[in-house]
Amino acid sequence: NNNVWYLRADNPEDKTHWIEVLQSYKTDGSSAESTSLRRHGSSVSLQSNTLSTASGSSLKRATRSLREKVNEIETFKDILYGQIETLQRYFDACAEINKNDAKPLDLGDGLKPIDFKGESITFRATTAGVLSTLQHCLDIIAQRDELWKKKLDKEIEKRKKAEEFNKKYKDELEKIQNSSFPGPDLEEGPHSTLPEDEFFDAVETGLDKIEEDRQLRVRLKLQSQQSQISTSNLQNQIETEEEEEFGTGVLAKNHRLWSEIDKVCEEQLRYAREGVGEGGNGWQIFADEGEMKMYKREEEVNGMVIDPLKACHMVKGVTAREMCHYFFMPEYRNDWETTLEDMTILERICSDTLVFLQTHKRVWPASQRDACFWSHMRKIRDNHDPEAADEWIVCNNSTEHEDYPPANTGKCVRIFLTVILVCQTYITKGKSKSTATRDDLQCKITYCSVVNPGGWAPASVLRAVYKREYPKFLKRFTSYVIDQCKDKPMMF
């Protein structure tokens, strides 16, 4: 137990006997209690001739800390040092008295005579060794105490950092879990607690992911088989229903929706032909990129954003009919409408008039949405612009259908929309439809829409999404049509 014991025997036989006894205790003991040499109370005081029990009782208190024990040792050392000094002076005085007498000092009472001078020298050396060793032990204990204190400080610092990392990762994990399994208060709804900036960031991230998927699909040429239908197939289909009847609505005039279709198309065409500065109608430009210009008016109905949008664009190398054809025909829609998840033709009124049900991909935290609308493609023959070679429109407007449940009865929020795409073909002067090449073609596009998205999305988020997505949509669609038409015959 880091203790050094100095023992003295009267003769070699006693010395051997004590060594054997101590060795037997050391060898036979099986536990720490049996093998350790226990320290007892201090020996008889030479001054008081009484047995001191204070130190023994104090050392038996196992609950004291190491520092308390060290302080006790320091105290005992000071006491021992004073006693040794006293004894040393006593021995020196005795030796001085006996120095002139050659005989050893006779203590009487039958005790053996001793050599005081020799004993004095031996006592001095022994006590010096004891004190030196004791001081060395105290130094070692102090060093170890300091070492353990440093280790403890390091462990405390490590634990503090570990707790900080644990809290950080716990917060991130909770955030991921909330994103993966959001509660009703962390998505679009009447009681949503999601801040508007976080709502927009989440929607923006979701739209970016959809766009990345589309670009990957294009790069890998994994477009749907329906998208590979050639223009010649379309022309064959149209020829079976007579060329002059397509785009007139003749075959749809007996349908229950025709009066609505005809009325909405006329109103929307008139609306699209109006200028953006006429009558102080409050149009604000929000995108100006070369030939493409986009305008909006901020309007709300019952707190819901339904901002009208108008876009004007000029595209080279395509005709008005080609532009409307790819916008109207369902087999191409999945290629340029990136948010489309599913599309069903609920009713085929005729070749130029269809009723669609579209389900759009959900972009968290917004609710999933669908739209039920009729779509009509028409050739305009009123010669409103004499310089235009031809004019075609596609008009979409929300409706109800008897074969599909009413709006907002399922998992989707219903979108209500009114959209018109007006396209006019312009041919270089001196050229005609029969002699023109694609280099001689220009298509003027006017796109107008009024969309009520339904639900509870914040107005600021909707307007930010519109501002971000509408220009991307129009550029993506026109680029798609140019790419599809570049190696095909022109279609007027």
Side-chain angles (χ1 to χ4, degrees):
N1 294 334
N2 295 324
N3 293 322
V4 180
W5 295 80
Y6 293 87
L7 304 176
R8 174 175 295 172
D10 293 333
N11 50 57
E13 289 78 15
D14 288 343
K15 176 181 177 181
T16 303
H17 172 72
W18 279 107
I19 290 176
E20 291 175 354
V21 172
L22 294 174
Q23 288 292 344
S24 67
Y25 271 87
K26 182 177 181 181
T27 304
D28 296 339
S30 59
S31 65
E33 291 182 357
S34 61
T35 57
S36 63
L37 295 175
R38 299 183 182 179
R39 179 172 179 175
H40 301 282
S42 61
S43 48
V44 179
S45 172
L46 295 178
Q47 295 178 342
S48 62
N49 198 30
T50 60
L51 181 64
S52 173
T53 59
S55 62
S57 62
S58 62
L59 290 175
K60 289 179 182 179
R61 298 178 185 175
T63 58
R64 290 192 178 182
S65 66
L66 176 62
R67 185 170 298 278
E68 291 174 339
K69 297 297 183 182
V70 171
N71 292 335
E72 286 186 2
I73 292 174
E74 290 279 1
T75 302
F76 294 149
K77 185 195 74 170
D78 295 339
I79 295 172
L80 179 59
Y81 183 79
Q83 292 176 345
I84 287 172
E85 285 293 326
T86 302
L87 290 173
Q88 188 63 52
R89 289 197 300 272
Y90 175 74
F91 286 144
D92 290 342
C94 292
E96 183 66 26
I97 294 172
N98 198 41
K99 67 179 180 179
N100 297 323
D101 192 353
K103 295 180 181 181
L105 180 63
D106 187 3
L107 299 177
D109 298 330
L111 297 177
K112 293 181 181 180
I114 60 173
D115 181 7
F116 243 58
K117 185 175 182 179
E119 290 295 334
S120 176
I121 295 173
T122 303
F123 184 74
R124 185 189 298 275
T126 302
T127 54
V130 170
L131 292 174
S132 175
T133 303
L134 182 59
Q135 184 62 46
H136 181 66
C137 292
L138 291 173
D139 292 341
I140 292 176
I141 292 174
Q143 291 175 2
R144 290 187 177 181
D145 184 55
E146 184 66 24
L147 178 62
W148 282 110
K149 186 176 181 300
K150 290 181 180 179
K151 288 184 178 181
L152 178 62
D153 292 340
K154 289 181 180 179
E155 291 299 324
I156 292 175
E157 186 66 24
K158 288 181 180 179
R159 178 170 179 172
K160 183 178 178 182
K161 291 182 179 179
E163 289 176 347
E164 291 176 355
F165 278 118
N166 180 59
K167 185 177 182 301
K168 175 183 176 182
Y169 293 135
K170 183 179 179 181
D171 293 342
E172 291 181 358
L173 181 60
E174 289 180 354
K175 186 175 181 180
I176 293 173
Q177 289 176 341
N178 290 336
S179 298
S180 303
F181 307 101
D185 291 341
L186 291 175
E187 56 187 25
E188 181 185 358
H191 306 292
S192 176
T193 59
L194 200 63
E196 293 187 6
D197 55 342
E198 294 184 15
F199 194 106
F200 174 73
D201 291 342
V203 171
E204 186 178 40
T205 302
L207 293 173
D208 288 340
K209 182 65 170 59
I210 292 174
E211 178 65 18
E212 289 175 5
D213 293 342
R214 184 196 71 85
Q215 292 177 358
L216 179 62
R217 190 172 68 248
V218 171
R219 286 198 300 268
L220 297 177
K221 305 298 182 183
L222 295 180
Q223 298 176 343
S224 64
Q225 293 181 353
Q226 291 179 328
S227 298
Q228 308 305 321
I229 298 176
S230 65
T231 305
S232 60
N233 291 338
L234 167 75
Q235 291 173 338
N236 292 335
Q237 176 186 354
I238 293 173
E239 287 173 1
T240 61
E241 299 182 7
E242 298 185 9
E243 173 70 20
E244 61 274 9
E245 291 186 356
F246 183 85
T248 62
V250 171
L251 299 177
K253 287 186 177 180
N254 294 327
H255 193 271
R256 60 181 176 82
L257 290 175
W258 175 249
S259 59
E260 176 187 327
I261 292 171
D262 189 52
K263 178 183 177 181
V264 172
C265 287
E266 293 292 339
E267 289 176 352
Q268 290 299 310
L269 178 60
R270 185 167 56 254
Y271 175 70
R273 285 173 172 174
E274 291 179 358
V276 293
E278 296 179 4
N281 45 22
W283 289 104
Q284 303 172 13
I285 189 167
F286 70 92
D288 186 357
E289 301 180 21
E291 295 288 347
M292 183 182 72
K293 293 176 173 56
M294 286 194 166
Y295 305 85
K296 68 173 182 178
R297 286 204 312 260
E298 292 190 357
E299 295 183 8
E300 295 185 15
V301 176
N302 297 325
M304 179 58 62
V305 174
I306 55 167
D307 295 353
L309 171 82
K310 178 175 284 190
C312 302
H313 198 13
M314 188 70 74
V315 181
K316 296 181 180 180
V318 296
T319 66
R321 183 171 182 178
E322 289 170 336
M323 190 67 68
C324 290
H325 163 68
Y326 284 101
F327 188 79
F328 172 77
M329 289 299 177
E331 57 262 37
Y332 304 105
R333 194 165 302 168
N334 208 42
D335 293 339
W336 55 265
E337 179 62 272
T338 58
T339 63
L340 192 62
E341 182 176 277
D342 184 62
M343 177 181 58
T344 303
I345 300 176
L346 298 181
E347 186 176 358
R348 189 177 186 275
I349 299 174
C350 63
S351 60
D352 59 16
T353 309
L354 304 173
V355 179
F356 291 99
L357 173 66
Q358 288 188 173
T359 303
H360 294 267
K361 297 175 183 177
R362 186 188 179 193
V363 181
W364 184 87
S367 301
Q368 190 170 22
R369 282 169 165 77
D370 63 6
C372 183
F373 60 93
W374 55 255
S375 183
H376 175 62
M377 181 172 171
R378 174 181 295 188
K379 183 175 183 179
I380 305 301
R381 306 174 187 272
D382 61 2
N383 199 29
H384 179 266
D385 185 353
E387 295 184 1
D390 62 0
E391 185 174 7
W392 287 80
I393 69 168
V394 176
C395 187
N396 301 337
N397 189 66
S398 290
T399 188
E400 298 289 341
H401 197 273
E402 56 193 16
D403 295 336
Y404 191 76
N408 302 321
T409 57
K411 66 176 183 178
C412 295
V413 175
R414 179 63 55 85
I415 298 173
F416 295 93
L417 56 86
T418 301
V419 174
I420 188 168
L421 176 70
V422 181
C423 298
Q424 298 169 280
T425 305
Y426 293 89
I427 303 175
T428 303
K429 290 183 179 181
K431 298 283 186 177
S432 64
K433 292 182 179 180
S434 58
T435 60
T437 64
R438 291 203 174 273
D439 293 336
D440 300 317
L441 299 179
Q442 277 192 321
C443 179
K444 181 182 178 182
I445 298 172
T446 304
Y447 176 86
C448 301
S449 70
V450 179
V451 178
N452 183 343
W456 300 270
S460 61
V461 173
L462 289 174
R463 289 189 169 112
V465 171
Y466 292 164
K467 184 177 181 180
R468 176 184 186 272
E469 290 301 312
Y470 270 125
K472 292 172 64 175
F473 150 72
L474 192 57
K475 287 189 289 186
R476 180 173 61 248
F477 172 67
T478 54
S479 298
Y480 171 78
V481 175
I482 292 171
D483 186 62
Q484 292 293 313
C485 294
K486 61 183 178 182
D487 296 323
K488 296 176 183 176
M490 292 179 290
M491 183 168 55
F492 291 95

